[in-house]
């Protein structure tokens, strides 16, 4: 991030879509525009129809079937949608400013604070020119609200490159039905995940087999985070009526304490538990490491609430500087096999390994964007099923 032109772009919904942006080297020079709702709403509605997040009245299976037979899986259709989104959502004046920097040999960093209506926009994947996506020539991250990033009580954990990595990889959930079953399934020896685990070596905690553990409840994980460099969570997140009730699912049985009620023998861990503590009478919340990855369905979905305080904000408040999460419901590899009309190779393992690798670099935003850029280029040139954006475009890193 050092010496890179960086712009902060904030979007607000009102009677239209309001934009304001400022460059971090000149914070006093703020640009403001308003775009009429009629110009952006059709593109946003088309995006919602393409994504695997259930629409009102849909089941998860219906949403997956719709998405996996829709535009995101077809190169030409997806290019059309991504082009329409870019033309509708990227302000012309800002595009000119970015192009001027590109002509000078700079690669700008665009930090975006989305509005409720734009919460699921995959900015990295927007098609800004023939064969080029937004991420082709810029790095993009999510800008947390000022109330989160500037909170006086917020902690900021130091980065320790060789520190422990708390890996919670597809934990077993007590009493789980199909909706909270395994997200990875069997992990074969040739999986990128096995190579990832081997490369982490003794940095991986807790020691032992990493996949489908049944002992990773909140009381086991919380103390490990105090001295960790990173948290890598792969599993289930469910949303509720407000961001603080966003739920992370661990191996927590009914004997654990917390702010969510027990459901089918399992107590979910909420964003409120992370912020305020999960034990009765807790004086403070959890401590989070410098880098946190939450690879689960809509783990970054809090921006869709009027008060965007969910799992990402809780992790930032508790010490994280970088939090990678997802914008929409992620199809598991089993879901891809069931609902895709064409044979589909596993997609999640590569994405998880890419996030893990990015979080071990000095600049996780640029590193993850580089992987997304490679995926976008491969999708543009070859249109292979394994390069479609249903997984890679869902990922975004909040930096603050």
């Amino acid at each position: 991030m050092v010496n890179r032109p960086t712009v902060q772009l904030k979007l607000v919904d009102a009677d239209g879509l309001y934009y304001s942006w400022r460059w971090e080297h000149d914070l006093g020079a703020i640009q403001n525009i308003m775009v009429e709702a009629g110009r952006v709403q059709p593109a946003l509605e088309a995006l919602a129809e393409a994504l695997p997040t259930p629409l009102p009245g849909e089941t998860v299976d219906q949403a997956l079937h719709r998405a996996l037979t829709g535009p995101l899986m077809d190169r030409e259709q997806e290019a059309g949608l991504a082009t329409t989104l870019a033309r509708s959502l990227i302000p012309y004046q800002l595009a000119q400013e970015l192009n001027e920097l590109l002509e000078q040999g700079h690669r700008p960093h665009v930090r975006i604070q989305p509005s409720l209506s734009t919460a699921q926009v995959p900015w990295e994947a927007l098609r800004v020119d023939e064969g080029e996506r937004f991420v082709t020539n810029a790095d993009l991250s999510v800008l947390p609200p000022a109330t989160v990033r500037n909170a006086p009580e917020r902690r900021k954990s130091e980065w320790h490159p060789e520190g422990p990595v708390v890996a919670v990889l597809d934990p077993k959930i007590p009493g789980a039905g199909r909706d909270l079953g395994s997200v990875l399934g069997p992990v074969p020896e040739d999986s990128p995940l096995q190579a990832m685990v081997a490369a982490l070596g003794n940095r991986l905690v807790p020691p032992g087999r990493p996949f489908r553990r049944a002992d990773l409840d909140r009381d086991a994980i919380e103390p490990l985070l105090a001295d960790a460099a990173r948290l890598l969570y792969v599993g289930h997140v469910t949303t509720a009526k407000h961001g603080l009730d966003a739920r992370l699912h661990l191996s927590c049985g009914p004997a654990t304490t917390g702010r969510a009620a027990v459901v089918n023998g399992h107590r979910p861990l909420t964003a409120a538990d992370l912020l305020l503590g999960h034990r009765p009478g807790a004086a403070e919340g959890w401590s989070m490491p410098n880098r946190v990855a939450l690879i689960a369905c809509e783990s970054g979905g809090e921006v869709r609430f009027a008060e965007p305080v969910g799992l990402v904000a809780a992790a930032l408040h508790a010490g994280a500087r970088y939090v990678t999460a997802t914008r929409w419901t992620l199809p598991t590899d089993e879901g891809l096999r069931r609902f895709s009309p064409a044979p589909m190779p596993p997609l999640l393992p590569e994405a998880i390994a890419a996030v893990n690798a990015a979080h071990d670099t000095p600049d996780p935003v640029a590193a993850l964007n580089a992987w997304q850029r490679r995926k976008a280029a491969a999708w543009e040139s070859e249109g292979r099923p394994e390069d479609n954006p249903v997984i890679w475009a869902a990922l975004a890193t909040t930096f603050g």
Side-chain angles (χ1 to χ4, degrees):
M1 300 296 176
V2 178
N3 297 325
R4 187 186 313 182
T6 300
V7 64
Q8 299 178 358
L9 173 63
K10 181 177 180 180
L11 291 82
V12 176
D13 295 317
D15 50 342
L17 185 59
Y18 286 78
Y19 294 77
S20 66
W21 68 89
R22 60 181 186 172
W23 292 89
E24 291 188 356
H25 62 265
D26 189 9
L27 292 175
I30 302 175
Q31 301 287 340
N32 295 284
I33 66 167
M34 189 275 282
V35 178
E36 294 179 357
R39 177 179 165 186
V40 298
Q41 197 58 35
L44 294 176
E45 290 174 357
L47 174 64
E49 288 284 346
L51 295 179
T53 296
L55 298 171
E58 269 190 328
T59 65
V60 171
D61 284 357
Q62 289 169 336
L64 284 176
H65 181 268
R66 170 179 50 74
L68 296 178
T69 55
L72 292 186
M73 309 299 288
D74 179 270
R75 179 172 55 171
E76 298 304 317
Q77 292 185 59
E78 188 276 336
L81 174 59
T83 299
T84 299
L85 285 166
R87 291 174 177 171
S88 301
L89 292 171
I90 301 175
Y92 178 73
Q93 185 176 342
L94 176 60
Q96 283 186 311
E97 294 174 15
L98 293 169
N99 284 334
E100 288 175 5
L101 289 168
L102 294 175
E103 290 171 358
Q104 297 167 18
H106 298 293
R107 181 180 180 84
H109 177 201
V110 185
R111 304 178 69 192
I112 303 172
Q113 184 180 323
S115 64
L116 274 68
S117 70
T118 58
Q120 292 188 303
V121 171
W123 297 94
E124 297 82 0
L126 299 196
R127 201 168 190 255
V128 296
D129 205 345
E130 186 69 28
E132 291 191 354
R133 305 298 175 121
F134 206 165
V135 77
T136 304
N137 296 309
D139 288 327
L140 298 104
S141 65
V142 178
L143 175 69
T147 52
V148 174
R149 66 180 185 271
N150 298 328
E153 67 276 16
R154 182 188 170 197
R155 296 183 289 247
K156 293 183 180 180
S157 298
E158 296 296 322
W159 170 231
H160 303 292
E162 301 304 318
V165 178
V166 178
V168 184
L169 305 177
D170 200 10
K172 287 186 178 179
I173 300 168
R178 178 170 166 261
D179 288 347
L180 295 177
S182 175
V183 299
L184 294 177
V187 181
E189 289 303 315
D190 61 352
S191 168
L193 298 179
Q194 297 285 8
M196 177 189 81
V197 166
L200 287 171
N202 59 13
R203 293 178 61 201
L204 198 72
V205 293
R209 59 181 182 83
F211 304 108
R212 295 298 287 159
R213 293 180 66 139
D215 59 345
L216 296 180
D217 64 13
R218 65 197 67 193
D219 293 314
I221 292 170
E222 184 195 16
L224 297 176
L225 294 173
D227 298 319
R230 299 200 282 114
L231 167 64
L232 175 61
Y233 173 81
V234 178
H236 289 282
V237 164
T238 53
T239 56
K241 293 183 178 180
H242 57 89
L244 277 174
D245 198 34
R247 298 172 173 210
L248 195 71
H249 297 274
L250 304 170
S251 304
C252 299
T256 55
T257 57
R259 298 166 194 276
V262 173
V263 181
N264 297 328
H266 162 61
R267 190 187 302 278
L269 181 73
T270 67
D273 289 319
L274 299 179
L275 277 171
L276 305 171
H278 68 276
R279 296 182 178 88
E284 60 181 12
W286 286 36
S287 175
M288 284 288 176
N290 186 274
R291 284 104 193 267
V292 172
L294 303 174
I295 304 176
C297 292
E298 280 197 275
S299 51
E302 61 206 59
V303 292
R304 300 175 70 188
F305 294 101
E307 291 294 330
V309 182
L311 294 169
V312 172
L316 291 168
H317 182 90
R321 297 297 308 278
Y322 298 89
V323 183
T324 298
T326 66
R327 297 179 169 110
W328 56 69
T329 300
L330 291 182
T332 63
D333 290 328
E334 179 190 0
L336 290 169
R337 286 191 295 270
R338 287 180 60 204
F339 295 108
S340 176
M344 184 66 65
L347 300 185
L348 268 179
E350 180 189 359
I352 294 164
V355 172
N356 173 73
H359 277 219
D360 252 353
T361 68
D363 188 344
V365 170
L368 184 61
N369 281 172
W371 174 73
Q372 291 173 310
R373 187 160 58 253
R374 291 192 294 272
K375 297 296 287 185
W379 176 245
E380 282 276 349
S381 63
E382 302 177 47
R384 299 180 303 175
E386 56 264 41
D387 297 320
N388 80 76
V390 72
I391 299 291
W392 65 257
L395 295 164
T397 300
T398 301
F399 161 63

